[in-house]
Amino acid sequence: MDVLSGLALVVVALAVWTYVTYSAVRRGVRDGLQDRAAETEGSTSE
């Protein structure tokens, strides 16, 4: 494998890792906000 192919592989791997990490963080934040909203809604209706 030449240097350019290795560099392209590293760039693709970094892009995939970044996308997966971003998606996981975004989902975690969204779920956390939904949980917080549900807790707030539940405590005000009591």
Side-chain angles (χ1 to χ4, degrees), residues 21-42:
T21 302
Y22 171 76
S23 297
V25 169
R26 186 177 66 183
R27 176 177 281 181
V29 168
R30 185 189 66 211
D31 290 350
L33 289 174
Q34 288 176 346
D35 289 346
R36 182 177 232 177
E39 288 174 2
T40 302
E41 184 179 299

Side-chain angles (χ1 to χ4, degrees), residues 7-33:
L7 184 60
L9 186 62
V10 168
V11 168
V12 169
L14 183 60
V16 169
W17 178 81
T18 302
Y19 176 76
V20 169
T21 302
Y22 171 76
S23 297
V25 169
R26 186 177 66 183
R27 176 177 281 181
V29 168
R30 185 189 66 211
D31 290 350
L33 289 174

